[in-house]
Amino acid sequence: MSLYSRRSVQRSWKFICRKKVSLSIASLLVLSATGAVVAQNPAKDPGVRAVSVDSGTELSSVVGSPADEYFLDGKSRFQEVESVQGGNHNGLGPRFNSNSCSSCHAQPTIGGSSPSTTAFPFIGPNPETLVTSQNSLQNPFPSFVTIDGPAREARFKFFLNRDGSINPNSPDGGVHDLWVISGRPDAGSCSISQPDFAHNLKIGNVIFRIPTPVFGAGLMENIPDENILANMNANAQIKNFMGISGHPNRNGNDGTISRFGWKAQNKSLEVFAGEAYNVEMGITNELFTNERASPDEAGLPANCRLNPTPEDATNMTAVQTTGVPSDVVGFAMFMRLLAPPTPSTTSPGGARSIADGSRIFTQIGCALCHTPSMKTGPSAFTPSLSNANVNLFSDLLVHNMGSNLADGVSQGGAAGDEFRTAPLWGLGQRIFFLHDGRSNDLFDAINQHAGRGSEANGVIQLFQHRLTPEQQQDLLNFLRSL
């Protein structure tokens, strides 16, 4: 055992049983004399749940209501392909990662995460490989953009000195977009270059993020701060003993709890959408009104600022009410009214295995951070958002995830080694895991939670050394049922 001694884990396990945290599974453990699990068939990630797609629909109270028109309008906007200028949807670039929201939020359907050419439902290749056809000479693929890999954004950890070396006293942390509009027929005379990804990769200066799914986002948005704080303070004794703390990331303007993004850095769905429109597609909007250069650029040349700003704005001449809001408002409404995924009770592994895995999930402490359920407050949008149980499997707090997962980027109150507890609903049909998409194997992703300083170390030790392979498999089956 590496991060904890066997004696330490045994003390933790005795404490859990003595305090009767959840149900004791001491009688279920099959341990050898040395404390390792008895050899059985090793546990294996069942893989993407290849049954019907259980996500992507609107909330039940939206169907047939006036809100349905706004959901469908927002969904249509979510799928729009943007042009630089001269088309129906203007504003792309000058630097961008993709040309529509749905290109990256695609798996297993609109609103999800990165798709794949090989995993159910076979949506297609990494969309970032499809947006450079108009100017491929100016946009060679960086080595981390692959046909069947995750859609990624790249951030540089530090700014560089003039000689190309890292300046450790000058943190960067900003997104350096993959592509430029230079050479496109709708880009005029704009001439800028891609960041030097090869050099920054060589000196270890690049970290990645992948898209977060937005299913059930309106429910998450409507959880009162008080409920998040009450959940944070619940089970304090066992959390303290297991080394789990966590804290909210807070909005710098009003002090309320922010909750969207890998570090819970965005307060609301409109802020989340507005930032993504500006950062991922380079489109100015009413929340982010200025054209965005790379963090290491001293602004953009005049011939690359091609449109009046903001490029996305309220349509004051629209005839229909759904045509009045900006795209950012439409995106937010689509995400807000998007239903959460529906879990399976039988696949994979059968109902008994899933039920056993659910109990083990709680018993070894996974649920101390991945809170199975919280409740929303009243909603002015639609009844399905009001006083609803939200089975998100997240506490919406940021936790120290240790040296293995640390990316060195601070956002708001989240430090470089802290991340929001990722919601697990929809995990059954997700392909890539962790903030940077480093793994597509759920068993490996669980083990990646361990690292120097990680709040998950105690739980991971119990998973690795106090569960039989059969119990580990039940846990994996449960997670893939979500």
Side-chain angles (χ1 to χ4, degrees):
M1 299 177 66
S2 54
L3 298 168
Y4 276 68
S5 68
R6 183 172 292 115
R7 182 175 298 174
S8 169
V9 174
Q10 288 170 341
R11 283 200 303 267
S12 299
W13 189 251
K14 288 177 181 178
F15 176 88
I16 292 171
C17 295
R18 185 173 67 251
K19 294 295 182 181
K20 297 182 179 178
V21 177
S22 169
L23 299 172
S24 171
I25 62 167
S27 60
L28 301 178
L29 296 173
V30 182
L31 304 174
S32 70
T34 62
V37 294
V38 173
Q40 300 176 28
N41 293 328
K44 183 179 179 181
D45 179 5
V48 175
R49 198 172 71 243
V51 293
S52 60
V53 174
D54 302 314
S55 52
T57 60
E58 62 263 60
L59 294 163
S60 60
S61 66
V62 172
V63 180
S65 77
D68 201 7
E69 191 175 355
Y70 285 87
F71 173 81
L72 294 174
D73 173 74
K75 183 177 183 179
S76 175
R77 296 178 189 230
F78 208 77
Q79 298 175 79
E80 290 172 353
V81 176
E82 302 287 343
S83 302
V84 180
Q85 58 177 344
N88 293 326
H89 310 293
N90 293 331
L92 183 69
R95 298 184 179 276
F96 65 102
N97 285 325
S98 195
N99 59 0
S100 77
C101 301
S102 63
S103 66
C104 292
H105 293 279
Q107 174 69 24
T109 188
I110 307 265
S113 189
S114 295
S116 169
T117 55
T118 56
F120 175 85
F122 314 117
I123 290 172
N126 177 354
E128 290 176 337
T129 65
L130 303 177
V131 299
T132 63
S133 59
Q134 289 187 307
N135 55 342
S136 57
L137 291 178
Q138 289 86 358
N139 289 310
F141 286 3
S143 61
F144 53 84
V145 176
T146 60
I147 294 293
D148 208 35
R152 283 172 162 156
E153 67 169 26
R155 293 172 182 260
F156 292 174
K157 298 179 185 178
F158 298 94
F159 291 106
L160 303 184
N161 296 311
R162 290 185 178 182
D163 63 0
S165 61
I166 288 174
N167 182 346
N169 297 316
S170 185
D172 181 345
V175 175
H176 291 249
D177 287 319
L178 304 179
W179 318 120
V180 294
I181 61 172
S182 306
R184 285 176 56 115
D186 56 356
S189 60
C190 179
S191 181
I192 51 177
S193 300
Q194 274 183 309
D196 190 347
F197 292 116
H199 175 70
N200 280 276
L201 285 167
K202 183 178 180 180
I203 61 177
N205 197 39
V206 186
I207 59 99
F208 305 110
R209 302 269 179 89
I210 65 172
T212 58
V214 297
F215 303 127
L219 292 163
M220 292 167 53
E221 185 179 47
N222 204 38
I223 298 171
D225 286 9
E226 293 79 5
N227 291 2
I228 296 173
L229 295 173
N231 180 69
M232 178 182 73
N233 293 323
N235 300 309
Q237 190 175 17
I238 183 60
K239 286 178 180 176
N240 181 63
F241 192 88
M242 295 292 288
I244 294 170
S245 52
H247 63 91
N249 200 349
R250 292 187 179 271
N251 177 38
N253 292 312
D254 66 358
T256 56
I257 296 175
S258 55
R259 58 200 68 187
F260 297 105
W262 282 105
K263 300 212 173 197
Q265 69 270 19
N266 287 321
K267 167 62 189 174
S268 70
L269 287 171
E270 282 194 26
V271 173
F272 183 62
E275 182 193 48
Y277 216 17
N278 188 239
V279 173
E280 308 299 339
M281 285 186 268
I283 297 176
T284 58
N285 55 78
E286 292 170 331
L287 294 178
F288 294 82
T289 56
N290 304 111
E291 293 281 16
R292 180 180 182 273
S294 269
D296 54 358
E297 281 183 305
L300 291 162
N303 64 344
C304 291
R305 292 181 268 118
L306 298 166
N307 300 311
T309 58
E311 292 157 318
D312 170 45
T314 301
N315 185 353
M316 299 179 186
T317 62
V319 176
Q320 290 192 326
T321 56
T322 53
V324 173
S326 66
D327 281 348
V328 164
V329 174
F331 299 155
M333 193 60 70
F334 165 65
M335 294 186 286
R336 186 174 289 125
L337 302 179
L338 191 59
T342 303
S344 172
T345 57
T346 58
S347 177
R352 181 174 179 178
S353 176
I354 291 170
D356 287 344
S358 176
R359 286 190 290 271
I360 292 169
F361 180 85
T362 298
Q363 290 160 350
I364 67 170
C366 302
L368 294 173
C369 296
H370 290 282
T371 304
S373 181
M374 283 193 279
K375 196 167 186 177
T376 67
S379 171
F381 288 109
T382 188
S384 290
L385 294 177
S386 290
N387 303 310
N389 289 320
V390 186
N391 302 318
L392 72 169
F393 292 91
S394 172
D395 57 9
L396 298 178
L397 304 176
V398 293
H399 295 266
N400 186 337
M401 297 311 299
S403 57
N404 184 48
L405 293 180
D407 65 2
V409 175
S410 298
Q411 292 184 276
D417 52 8
E418 292 182 316
F419 292 90
R420 180 195 66 166
T421 304
L424 299 182
W425 54 9
L427 194 67
Q429 295 186 323
R430 204 175 303 169
I431 300 171
F432 303 104
F433 303 119
L434 305 172
H435 65 280
D436 52 8
R438 69 178 66 182
S439 179
N440 61 3
D441 182 278
L442 187 54
F443 188 90
D444 172 67
I446 292 172
N447 289 320
Q448 291 270 0
H449 283 58
R452 188 177 66 256
S454 173
E455 294 179 29
N457 281 339
V459 173
I460 299 305
Q461 289 295 314
L462 293 175
F463 172 77
Q464 292 175 337
H465 300 285
R466 287 299 188 231
L467 297 181
T468 66
E470 181 181 5
Q471 291 163 345
Q472 290 177 340
Q473 189 64 58
D474 288 340
L475 180 57
L476 293 170
N477 289 346
F478 163 66
L479 292 172
R480 281 298 194 182
S481 77
L482 296 177

